[in-house]
């Protein structure tokens, strides 16, 4: 099956410091693919290149068969890529509905549907800045959904969510596929293991392992580098 998103030999250097190196990655249409790794593994740099916030030093990025390596972020969004930030980026002085409307470009039906899907329909008129952090995270996901993405990249989406909200989030993500492909950057390993079809592990800016949740769980190198540390770092 042709990948909806792929990279070949992707790398990034900052003033001689190698943040990512020779990353070959493929995301199949309709799958939930998790990206994990310890603090400093290079996940943020990698994702920033995927969405067009950073230009690669080498390698290529393809989306839906098209070379988007040098394409600006807004054009990638227009092609069907949506991204939610690790730190919430909602407009605090606007209502929930107004936030989603900005992302939906004014399509009212999309606004209501997006809020319903994340469980915030009854809070549509509330000011986003008055929401709890967890609800702001859900609002940001609604903003992503309102763009009708073919690929939704979620960066630490369960951070700040209560246990009941995490359960609802998992149900939501399962309902999105196969119409929407999901790339999930997440430190909550129970969420990763329950949701992901496949997992890619980064370490020191390179791919350490790729495979099913069972394969990743049983991989000695992954256990030594990440799973065995017990760490739940919030960022890299």
């Amino acid at each position: 099956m042709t990948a909806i998103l792929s990279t070949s030999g992707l790398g990034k250097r900052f003033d001689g410091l190698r943040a990512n190196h020779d990353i070959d990655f493929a995301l199949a249409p309709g799958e939930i693919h998790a990206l994990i790794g310890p603090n400093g593994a290079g996940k943020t740099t990698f994702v920033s290149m995927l969405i067009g916030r950073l230009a690669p030093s080498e390698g290529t990025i393809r989306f839906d068969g098209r070379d988007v390596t040098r394409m600006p972020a807004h054009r990638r969004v227009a092609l069907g890529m949506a991204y939610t930030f690790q730190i919430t980026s909602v407009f605090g002085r606007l209502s929930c509905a107004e936030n989603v409307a900005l992302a939906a470009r004014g399509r009212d039906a999309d606004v209501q549907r997006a809020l319903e899907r994340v469980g915030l329909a009854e809070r549509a008129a509330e000011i986003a800045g008055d929401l709890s952090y967890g609800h702001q995270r859900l609002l940001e996901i609604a903003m992503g959904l309102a763009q009708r993405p073919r690929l939704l990249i979620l960066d630490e989406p369960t951070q700040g969510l209560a246990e009941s909200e995490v359960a609802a989030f998992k149900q939501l993500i399962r309902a999105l596929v196969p119409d929407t492909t999901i790339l999930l950057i997440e430190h909550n390993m129970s969420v990763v293991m329950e949701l992901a079809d496949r997992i890619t592990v980064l370490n020191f800016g390179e791919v350490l392992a790729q495979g099913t949740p069972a394969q990743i769980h049983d991989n000695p190198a992954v256990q030594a580098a990440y799973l065995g540390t017990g760490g739940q770092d919030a960022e890299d």
Side-chain angles (χ1 to χ4, degrees), residues 98-130:
E98 289 169 334
N99 268 274
V100 178
L102 286 175
R105 299 178 181 88
R107 293 189 296 264
D108 292 339
D110 285 351
V111 171
Q112 185 63 22
R113 176 167 171 75
L115 288 171
E116 287 175 353
R117 297 190 81 173
V118 301
L120 293 179
E122 295 182 356
R123 298 177 179 267
E126 292 187 23
I127 300 300
D130 293 338

Side-chain angles (χ1 to χ4, degrees), residues 67-98:
D67 189 335
V68 299
T69 310
R70 304 298 169 185
M71 184 178 289
H74 71 274
R75 288 190 59 196
R76 300 185 201 199
V77 170
L79 290 177
M81 296 176 65
Y83 173 71
T84 68
F85 293 89
Q86 183 175 352
I87 306 300
T88 56
S89 58
V90 301
F91 298 94
R93 296 185 179 182
L94 300 181
S95 71
C96 293
E98 289 169 334

Side-chain angles (χ1 to χ4, degrees), residues 44-80:
T44 298
T45 300
F46 176 60
V47 172
S48 294
M49 289 189 288
L50 295 182
I51 64 173
R53 295 178 68 195
L54 283 177
S57 300
E58 61 261 341
T60 59
I61 304 169
R62 300 187 71 85
F63 180 66
D64 196 23
R66 179 182 303 191
D67 189 335
V68 299
T69 310
R70 304 298 169 185
M71 184 178 289
H74 71 274
R75 288 190 59 196
R76 300 185 201 199
V77 170
L79 290 177

Side-chain angles (χ1 to χ4, degrees), residues 159-210:
Q159 183 177 315
L161 297 185
E163 185 174 341
S164 61
E165 292 170 334
V166 171
F169 166 80
K170 289 186 287 190
Q171 184 177 1
L172 166 66
I173 295 304
R174 292 189 185 102
L176 293 178
V177 294
D179 295 332
T180 304
T181 303
I182 305 293
L183 177 58
L184 180 68
I185 302 92
E186 180 59 67
H187 277 88
N188 186 325
M189 291 309 299
S190 65
V191 171
V192 169
M193 292 299 177
E194 287 184 45
L195 284 180
D197 299 304
R198 291 192 301 141
I199 301 171
T200 294
V201 185
L202 291 186
N203 195 34
F204 296 111
E206 299 182 349
V207 174
L208 176 65
Q210 297 188 81

Side-chain angles (χ1 to χ4, degrees), residues 105-156:
R105 299 178 181 88
R107 293 189 296 264
D108 292 339
D110 285 351
V111 171
Q112 185 63 22
R113 176 167 171 75
L115 288 171
E116 287 175 353
R117 297 190 81 173
V118 301
L120 293 179
E122 295 182 356
R123 298 177 179 267
E126 292 187 23
I127 300 300
D130 293 338
L131 297 178
S132 68
Y133 181 79
H135 283 149
Q136 288 185 26
R137 300 293 293 167
L138 294 174
L139 176 58
E140 192 179 32
I141 294 173
M143 293 167 68
L145 293 176
Q147 299 172 44
R148 297 180 180 176
R150 299 179 59 208
L151 169 63
L152 180 60
I153 302 175
L154 300 172
D155 196 348
E156 302 292 346

